[in-house]
Amino acid sequence: KTSRYWLIKKTSKLFASGTRRVEFADFWLGDQFCSLIFPLSNSYLLICAYTNGFDENWHKCGSSTRYWPLAFVLAALPLFIRLVQSIKRYYDSKLVTHLINGGKYASGMLSYFFYYWWRSQGRGRGASFALWCICNTSYAVYASSWDLLMDWSLLRRHARYPLLRQELVYSNQVLYYYFAILSNVLIRFIWVLYIPTQGPSSLLRSFIAAMLEILRRWQWNFYRLENEHLGNVDQYRITREVPLPYSFDVSHDDDIDEDSDDRRVKSLRREKR
């Protein structure tokens, strides 16, 4: 019950971004909200099918140009929340890094706008198509560079393993880091599946793109948390200090459930002897 209440409270605060200080849980949930862009942007299909009475032509809602502004707003909402959070973090800390991060989400909003505009124009090869390709390429390069350099802190020089970092939590699974680097960049360019006018249906392409995006976000979470953990260690945010004064309780010398602090103190006492 407590966990559910915490999740509801934190999630609701996403819609009040910019009015309070942004903590780790806020921007972490904001990133998870960005993982829901695909189902959010396609939720208009339910509205379209409902207004048409769920008749046998409901599948035509996917090619309808009537609801593209709504689809864009739903797709851009998570990105807009993260943009506001980045601006707020810059306002509080004056670190330009947060503005650069905010630029990533702004470019993502532009790419979705031109994508839905291009769809509303009949998927032709005019100005909307050119703008969509330019914006999507910029966003893919922007976002993948931020993923590797900032969110994962990879591509470091003088690292033990080339293109990685000096310290690795998953040191026994080094090959997965390289797989994550390659797959993350490639999946960022998955939008090219929508370009061909011939071939599999748009529904099948959307399904493939959605599954690949799930893979990308799933592995992103692992390496993003790893990077956050290592950053906390470097800044001594998770250090457990032995409380002073030291307490020597000889009555529990044989307790097999003693914690790490007790074991450390007892080992020091034995060394003094």
Side-chain angles (χ1 to χ4, degrees), residues 111 115 131-141 188-189 191:
S111 68
Y115 168 65
L131 290 172
W132 173 58
C133 290
I134 293 173
C135 289
N136 267 279
T137 301
S138 301
Y139 175 55
V141 173
R188 282 290 188 181
F189 286 88
W191 55 270

Side-chain angles (χ1 to χ4, degrees), residues 141-231:
V141 173
Y142 199 156
S144 58
S145 299
W146 185 272
D147 289 339
L148 301 181
L149 296 174
M150 302 301 296
D151 286 344
W152 294 355
S153 294
L154 300 179
L155 305 183
R156 304 299 180 184
R157 293 189 300 175
H158 310 298
R160 179 182 178 185
Y161 298 100
L163 300 179
L164 302 185
R165 72 173 85 87
Q166 194 64 29
E167 298 182 15
L168 301 176
V169 173
Y170 312 112
S171 56
N172 294 329
Q173 307 293 338
V174 176
L175 291 179
Y176 286 111
Y177 286 89
Y178 294 105
F179 173 79
I181 292 174
L182 180 61
S183 61
N184 186 82
V185 175
L186 291 178
I187 296 174
R188 282 290 188 181
F189 286 88
I190 199 63
W191 55 270
V192 299
L193 282 179
Y194 298 104
I195 294 179
T197 56
Q198 304 294 329
S201 65
S202 58
L203 290 176
L204 179 58
R205 298 181 197 182
S206 298
F207 175 78
I208 295 174
M211 292 298 102
L212 291 175
E213 180 64 14
I214 289 175
L215 169 63
R216 192 192 68 80
R217 296 298 299 190
W218 176 77
Q219 66 185 12
W220 180 91
N221 281 318
F222 279 96
Y223 298 116
R224 177 65 180 88
L225 278 178
E226 177 200 26
N227 189 38
E228 186 71 19
H229 169 71
L230 292 176

Side-chain angles (χ1 to χ4, degrees), residues 76-103:
L77 180 60
L79 298 172
F80 178 74
I81 290 176
R82 286 295 288 122
L83 173 61
V84 173
Q85 287 182 341
S86 299
I87 295 175
K88 177 60 176 175
R89 295 185 74 186
Y90 169 75
Y91 178 81
D92 292 336
S93 65
K94 306 304 179 187
L95 292 176
V96 182
T97 308
H98 298 308
L99 285 183
I100 300 175
N101 192 25

